[in-house]
Amino acid sequence: MKIALGVGGGIAAYKAAELARLLMERGHQVETILTSAAQQFIQPLTFAALTGRKVITGLFTSGGSDDVLSSAIEHIRVAQENDLLLVAPATADLLGKFAAGLAPDFLTTTYLAFPGPVVLAPAMNTNMWEHAATQANVSTLRERGNWIVPPGSGLLACGMVGPGRLADPAEIALAVEGALHPSRDLAAETVLITAGPTQEPLDPVRYLTNRSSGKMGYALAEAAQARGARVLLVSGPVNLPVPPGVEMTRVRTARQMRDAVMELLGQATMIVKAAAVADFHLEAVPEHKVKKNPGRFHLELSATPDILAEVGARRGAHQMLIGFAAETQDLVREARRKMETKNCDMVVGNLVGSEGTGFDSDENAVVLVTRNGEEISVPAAPKRGIAHRIFDEALRLRTAFPTAP
Ligand code: CTP
C-alpha cells in the first residue's frame, strides 16, 4: 500500500526514520513530508535514502519541481495517490491545526485534502499532552475518525517523566495495518475482558499482589474494540489509559473482580481472562496499620475465588471462554490442564520469567492451546499483535468447532 508519512517538528522526529524503515519492510511504499520544523531535527536525505523517494519539504518546492502549477497542486496528488496518511510525531501544533482545519503548509493542506484513513501518533511534553486544549483537539480528531496512537510514558527529552513519548514505531506500524484493513469481524460480539493484577489488603497500608502491568488485557480490549466489538473491561489497578470506547469497571481485590465479572457475564459472548488474580487473601483485614515487631510475623491466608473456574462452570453454550496461564515451566501441559479443569475453549500460555516477554514488557510470545487439541505457537510480537491473533484464532475455533461447555 502507499503511505504518506508526515513528520512534525519534535525531538521524536528521528524515530520517524525507524518507522519509515518498518513500513518499507512490511512492503509499503512511503512518501515523506517533512514540516519546516521537522527539518530542524532531521535531514530529508535520511528519508530519501530509506524510502527511495524524493521527500516533500514545502508547499511550493514539493517534489523539487520547477513547474509552479504542478507544485501548487502537489498536495492534491499526494492526497489522491496515497492509501493512508500517517503523521508521526504529531506535535501539539499539528494536532491543533488539524482539529481547526488550518492549512498553512504542505502537511496541513494534505491533511485537509486527504480522503483516506489518517493515523496520528502524538509526541510532546507531558504538560502539553495533558493540557485541556490538546485533549480537546485529540477528542475532535478521534470523533472525526482519525486513528490516534497514544503516546507512551517515560522519561522525556525535557527531563519530565510522564506521558508524551512517541509510541513505539512497531506499535504505530500495527495501527497503520489496523487502519488499512479495518475489520469489523467482532461486531456481533460483546467481549468481557479482565486485566491487570488484583491487590489483597493486609492492613490499610500493605497488600499482596501479582506482577502484572495490564498491558496484555488492555491490548485485547483495544483490539476487540477496533474490530467492532462492545468491550467490557474489568481492570485491577494499573497505570494505563482507558482505551477509548471501552466500558470500564475498576476493581481492586479478587472478590471485587469476581463480583464485577459475574454481574456482566450475562451480556458477554466472549470472555477473556487476562487478569493475574491473586490466589490468596487475608480474610479479616486489620482496621489499623500493623506495627513492626521484632521477630517473625505470621499471616494466615485463604484462597480467593477462582473466577475463571466459576465462569467455566456457569457459562452458556454461546459464550466462548479464553483463559490465560502464566507459567515458569511445563507451559503446554499446564495450559492444557487449566483449559480442561476450568472448562475453557482456549488457553493462552505465557512463559514468564524469561527476558523480554511477559509482565511489564510490550512484547509477548505465547502458545495457544485449544479445546479441539490444537497447539499454536505465536512468536514474540507486540502485545497488540498477539491480541489480534488471539481473536483471529477464537473466531476460527468458533466457526470450526461450535462451543460445547
Ligand atoms: N484466575 C482466576 N481466578 C483466580 C486465579 C486465576 O480467574 N483466583 C484465572 C486467571 O485470570 C487466568 C487463569 O485463571 O486466566 C490462570 O491463572 P494462573 O494464575 O496461571 O493459574 P491458577 O489457576 O492460579 O493455577 P496455579 O496456581 O495452579 O498455577
Side-chain angles (χ1 to χ4, degrees):
M1 298 286 231
K2 295 180 177 170
I3 295 170
L5 168 63
V7 182
I11 312 236
Y14 76 94
K15 292 190 191 161
E18 165 74 358
L19 187 55
R21 194 189 57 77
L22 270 180
L23 294 170
M24 297 285 294
E25 257 176 30
R26 288 169 176 251
H28 300 297
Q29 290 177 37
V30 178
E31 180 163 29
T32 315
I33 306 160
L34 294 185
T35 64
S36 53
Q39 290 163 58
Q40 304 292 318
F41 290 93
I42 191 158
Q43 293 292 317
L45 185 61
T46 307
F47 291 95
L50 283 168
T51 63
R53 300 189 60 169
K54 275 182 190 158
V55 171
I56 298 168
T57 52
L59 196 48
F60 300 108
T61 55
S62 49
S65 173
D66 294 333
D67 178 342
V68 174
L69 182 63
S70 75
S71 131
I73 56 164
E74 182 77 347
H75 57 286
I76 306 294
R77 179 198 61 76
V78 172
Q80 278 170 354
E81 272 185 14
N82 285 286
D83 299 302
L84 179 141
L85 172 63
L86 165 64
V87 182
T91 58
D93 177 58
L94 281 173
L95 295 177
K97 284 176 179 146
F98 293 155
L102 300 177
D105 66 3
F106 197 99
L107 182 54
T108 47
T109 46
T110 305
Y111 174 84
L112 281 188
F114 203 80
V118 175
V119 177
L120 305 172
M124 63 199 72
N125 154 280
T126 301
N127 287 348
M128 292 171 76
W129 171 248
E130 287 176 347
H131 195 284
T134 308
Q135 289 303 312
N137 289 334
V138 169
S139 299
T140 303
L141 295 164
R142 215 174 239 146
E143 277 161 29
R144 202 177 278 163
N146 294 175
W147 291 59
I148 309 287
V149 190
S153 275
L155 178 63
L156 305 179
C158 56
M160 271 183 101
V161 177
R165 194 159 72 176
L166 184 71
D168 191 41
E171 194 181 335
I172 300 171
L174 257 175
V176 165
E177 299 302 336
L180 281 172
H181 311 286
S183 163
R184 308 280 301 166
D185 55 3
L186 294 177
E189 310 287 341
T190 297
V191 184
L192 170 57
I193 299 170
T194 66
T198 65
Q199 290 178 355
E200 311 302 327
L202 299 177
D203 71 9
V205 298
R206 303 182 179 94
Y207 56 80
L208 278 177
T209 193
N210 278 347
R211 280 180 69 186
S212 166
S213 64
K215 284 179 182 168
M216 191 64 237
Y218 278 59
L220 283 157
E222 269 180 38
Q225 165 79 10
R227 291 165 75 153
R230 177 179 172 218
V231 180
L232 312 173
L233 178 60
V234 177
S235 174
V238 296
N239 194 10
L240 295 171
V242 181
V246 160
E247 295 168 47
M248 177 81 158
T249 308
R250 289 181 200 276
V251 296
R252 185 174 178 213
T253 63
R255 166 58 56 183
Q256 289 166 359
M257 184 171 275
R258 182 242 162 237
D259 291 349
V261 167
M262 293 310 151
E263 196 175 317
L264 297 168
L265 184 60
Q267 302 176 47
T269 57
M270 271 191 193
I271 304 109
V272 191
K273 295 261 335 37
V277 185
D279 286 318
F280 307 102
H281 74 134
L282 192 63
E283 253 166 41
V285 179
E287 195 187 334
H288 297 289
K289 183 180 169 189
V290 177
K291 289 291 171 191
K292 110 171 137 257
N293 236 332
R296 284 168 191 264
F297 179 65
H298 292 280
L299 278 175
E300 193 169 297
L301 301 170
S302 338
T304 54
D306 189 327
I307 310 167
L308 184 59
E310 190 175 344
V311 173
R314 287 172 99 171
R315 73 187 170 119
H318 65 293
Q319 296 180 302
M320 180 158 218
L321 181 56
I322 303 172
F324 272 67
E327 308 294 339
T328 52
Q329 57 183 353
D330 294 334
L331 180 61
V332 171
R333 208 182 59 207
E334 277 302 295
R336 201 162 280 294
R337 182 181 66 78
K338 283 176 192 175
M339 186 178 63
E340 274 149 27
T341 56
K342 303 191 189 196
N343 192 26
C344 299
D345 295 301
M346 188 196 292
V347 165
V348 182
N350 185 5
L351 203 56
V352 291
S354 54
E355 278 296 304
T357 58
F359 299 138
D360 207 26
S361 154
D362 290 319
E363 290 217 332
N364 216 355
V366 298
V367 56
L368 310 179
V369 298
T370 67
R371 181 162 44 81
N372 58 314
E374 289 171 305
E375 185 188 315
I376 304 159
S377 285
V378 184
K383 285 183 175 169
R384 213 184 266 192
I386 300 280
H388 277 289
R389 184 69 193 274
I390 291 170
F391 287 120
D392 290 346
E393 295 299 337
L395 283 175
R396 193 187 51 77
L397 189 66
R398 169 178 279 167
T399 320
F401 304 90
T403 313

